[in-house]
């Protein structure tokens, strides 16, 4: 029996070595992977080699790439060797339905199936496409679309006593929300919507293509809505602060005039909404698609065939995580209680209070920061 067991083990080891040898002979090719993941419990997307106590999405991805034979083990330790680049650097707790990474891999048989076998179920590779040799997913990206899912009681006026499960957003309030969100469209100086950027820093100017709140829907007795925003690129915390300021105005804590003021040179106290509801929806490669999408060698980077899989993943992993975490931890309800501390009229005092309150809260870092 022992000999039989040993023979089986030797055969298995030999077949694994054969597979590895076959993999080594495969040429490396530049590809992009379409990724979806639920970010809860992770310290963001980007891998920090050497700090294993902060687990990231890329830690699990690199592990799966090595185990599936797509990359040699040493490429996992030095990601430059496989020309790895993520399109957006989602931060702590933030999810994605359409993240794109570019890298060089060995195109093993059944590659997607093999990678997914070695990934936890809340991280999936949903698609793969061949790209040009010099492709870089971050530099070639023209725009990013994010969504932010929030309970609609966030928009209830501060003077009204609101029962969270009973509250329903009325048409008039939704129209006001959308009118304010539309003010962000175009190019503005967003230095007040991030940290460590002065009003004269050219990189604080950002271009927003669209921003709106969709129709509300009820889940687990609570009404939710999803805000969508498409922009060229976003700075750290920019989206969460854009949404935070609109909530403060709709609730009656701040005057509408604060929007115009926030784009000026003075320092304005802009509250930062919780990170929980933020999701990277998709990334856009319009220029690349025009140039290479129909050249006969490459496909356009569009994912219409994967839309159903993306929608199913959101329903199974992303939305339930946001809803259940909101119900258990009440991140939005607790954050709304801090709005009264902010001083929306004068800037200096309010900023000090804001800094103290944000340090004290258990903050989920939202990852709007793709470019900086």
């Amino acid at each position: 029996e022992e000999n039989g067991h040993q023979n089986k083990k030797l055969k298995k080891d030999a077949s694994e070595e054969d597979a590895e040898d076959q993999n080594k002979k495969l040429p490396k090719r530049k590809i992009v992977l379409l990724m979806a993941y639920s970010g809860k419990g992770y310290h963001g997307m980007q891998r920090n080699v050497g700090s294993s106590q902060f687990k990231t999405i890329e830690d699990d991805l690199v592990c799966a790439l090595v185990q599936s034979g797509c990359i040699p083990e040493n490429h996992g330790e030095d990601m430059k060797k496989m020309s790895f680049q993520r399109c957006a650097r989602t931060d702590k707790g933030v999810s994605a339905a359409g993240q794109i990474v570019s890298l060089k891999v060995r195109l093993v048989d059944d590659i997607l199936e093999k990678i997914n076998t070695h990934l936890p179920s809340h991280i999936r590779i949903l698609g793969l496409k061949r790209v040009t040799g010099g492709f870089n997913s971050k530099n070639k990206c023209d725009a990013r679309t994010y969504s932010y899912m929030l309970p609609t009681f966030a928009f209830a006026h501060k003077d009204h006593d609101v029962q969270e499960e009973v509250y329903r957003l009325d048409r008039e309030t939704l129209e006001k929300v959308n009118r304010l969100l539309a003010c962000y469209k175009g190019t503005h100086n967003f230095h007040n919507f991030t940290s460590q950027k002065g009003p004269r820093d050219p990189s604080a100017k950002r271009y927003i293509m669209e921003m709106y709140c969709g129709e509300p829907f009820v889940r687990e007795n609570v009404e939710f809505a999803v805000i969508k925003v498409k922009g060229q690129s976003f700075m750290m915390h920019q989206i969460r602060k854009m949404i935070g300021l609109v909530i403060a105005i709709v609730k009656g804590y701040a005057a509408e005039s604060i929007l115009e003021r926030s784009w000026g040179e003075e320092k304005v106290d802009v509250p930062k909404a919780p990170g929980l509801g933020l999701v990277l929806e998709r990334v856009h490669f319009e220029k690349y698609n025009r140039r290479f999408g129909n050249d006969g060698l490459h496909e356009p980077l569009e994912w219409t065939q994967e839309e159903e899989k993306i929608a199913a993943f959101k329903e199974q992993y992303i939305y339930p995580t946001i809803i259940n975490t909101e119900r258990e931890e009440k991140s939005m309800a607790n954050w709304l209680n801090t709005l009264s501390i902010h001083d929306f009229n004068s800037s200096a005092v309010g900023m000090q209070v804001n800094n103290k309150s944000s340090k004290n809260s258990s903050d989920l870092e939202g990852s709007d920061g793709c470019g900086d």
Side-chain angles (χ1 to χ4, degrees):
E1 267 186 31
E2 273 182 22
N3 285 343
H5 180 71
Q6 263 189 321
N7 287 340
K8 273 184 193 171
K9 190 175 182 301
L10 287 169
K11 275 180 190 170
K12 192 182 173 201
D13 288 348
S15 64
E16 278 177 4
E17 276 176 30
D18 287 346
E20 180 60 27
D21 287 343
Q22 286 296 109
N23 287 347
K24 279 177 185 169
K25 288 172 190 168
L26 290 169
K28 290 197 184 77
R29 293 285 181 260
K30 184 61 107 32
I31 60 154
V32 295
L33 296 175
L34 171 69
M35 287 184 77
Y37 51 84
S38 171
K40 190 181 180 185
Y42 287 88
H43 281 254
M45 171 74 182
Q46 190 169 346
R47 195 165 189 228
N48 303 305
V49 179
S51 58
S52 54
Q53 75 268 34
F54 299 120
K55 195 178 185 190
T56 69
I57 300 291
E58 282 174 19
D59 286 329
D60 281 356
L61 174 62
V62 168
C63 223
L65 290 169
V66 171
Q67 288 174 323
S68 58
C70 295
I71 60 167
E73 206 162 325
N74 65 343
H75 283 28
E77 288 145 28
D78 182 1
M79 292 166 77
K80 286 194 190 106
K81 286 183 177 171
M82 56 171 159
S83 307
F84 186 93
Q85 188 56 259
R86 71 209 60 80
C87 190
R89 190 186 55 229
T90 58
D91 291 339
K92 185 181 173 186
V94 176
S95 299
Q99 170 74 283
I100 297 287
V101 297
S102 54
L103 65 158
K104 279 184 181 166
V105 296
R106 302 166 179 150
L107 288 173
V108 299
D109 292 337
D110 306 318
I111 182 167
L112 290 192
E113 199 182 312
K114 280 181 181 156
I115 299 171
N116 282 326
T117 302
H118 297 288
L119 283 170
S121 58
H122 55 265
I123 303 176
R124 290 290 92 178
I125 306 298
L126 301 179
L128 176 152
K129 288 185 195 285
R130 287 275 303 273
V131 285
T132 57
F135 184 86
N136 176 313
S137 60
K138 183 178 159 191
N139 297 345
K140 297 288 180 196
C141 177
D142 311 305
R144 287 103 174 155
T145 297
Y146 280 85
S147 68
Y148 188 87
M149 185 174 171
L150 76 172
T152 58
F153 64 72
F155 296 122
H157 197 278
K158 65 180 172 69
D159 297 337
H160 298 163
D161 189 24
V162 171
Q163 285 181 287
E164 291 167 11
E165 296 206 347
V166 178
Y167 181 82
R168 297 293 179 261
L169 189 64
D170 60 70
R171 180 62 40 193
E172 195 184 337
T173 308
L174 179 59
E175 282 171 6
K176 183 177 183 179
V177 168
N178 273 319
R179 181 170 55 77
L180 292 166
L181 291 173
C183 295
Y184 287 121
K185 289 202 286 193
T187 303
H188 299 286
N189 187 333
F190 285 100
H191 74 97
N192 274 309
F193 294 80
T194 190
S195 54
Q196 295 164 340
K197 279 201 193 293
R200 298 187 183 179
D201 187 332
S203 68
K205 283 197 172 163
R206 299 288 158 136
Y207 175 52
I208 306 298
M209 295 154 189
E210 62 178 6
M211 193 166 188
Y212 63 91
C213 182
E215 290 294 320
F217 53 91
V218 176
R219 294 283 170 91
E220 311 273 336
N221 298 327
V222 177
E223 189 180 66
F224 286 85
V226 174
I227 293 171
K228 287 265 178 83
V229 55
K230 181 181 180 183
Q232 215 165 30
S233 63
F234 297 97
M235 297 177 290
M236 190 76 153
H237 303 149
Q238 183 185 335
I239 295 171
R240 289 166 60 192
K241 288 195 165 218
M242 289 163 78
I243 291 166
L245 192 57
V246 166
I247 291 172
I249 294 168
V250 174
K251 289 191 80 66
Y253 287 105
E256 284 190 35
S257 58
I258 195 169
L259 266 175
E260 290 290 329
R261 250 177 65 215
S262 68
W263 296 322
E265 292 216 351
E266 72 169 300
K267 194 76 180 153
V268 174
D269 182 8
V270 177
K272 179 175 67 185
L276 174 66
L278 194 61
V279 179
L280 174 63
E281 285 286 333
R282 58 175 303 186
V283 286
H284 308 266
F285 297 96
E286 278 122 18
K287 279 187 202 141
Y288 174 86
N289 287 345
R290 279 198 298 274
R291 187 165 176 199
F292 297 105
N294 298 302
D295 66 355
L297 297 169
H298 306 94
E299 301 169 84
L301 295 183
E302 288 160 357
W303 308 95
T304 41
Q305 290 178 334
E306 287 76 17
E307 289 294 346
E308 275 184 35
K309 285 194 276 186
I310 292 168
F313 185 88
K314 285 199 282 192
E315 288 295 333
Q316 191 174 355
Y317 293 102
I318 295 178
Y319 291 160
T321 300
I322 293 171
I323 292 160
N324 295 334
T325 307
E326 182 57 53
R327 285 170 66 87
E328 288 162 21
E329 298 177 10
K330 299 200 175 297
S331 61
M332 180 55 76
N334 293 335
W335 175 78
L336 292 171
N337 290 333
T338 69
L339 284 176
S340 58
I341 304 167
H342 290 263
D343 187 341
F344 294 103
N345 297 315
S346 64
S347 44
V349 179
M351 289 309 295
Q352 286 167 3
V353 173
N354 181 26
N355 288 342
K356 279 180 191 165
S357 70
S358 65
K359 276 174 192 160
N360 292 340
S361 66
S362 61
D363 189 26
L364 277 166
E365 287 296 296
S367 153
D368 343 355
C370 314
D372 291 67

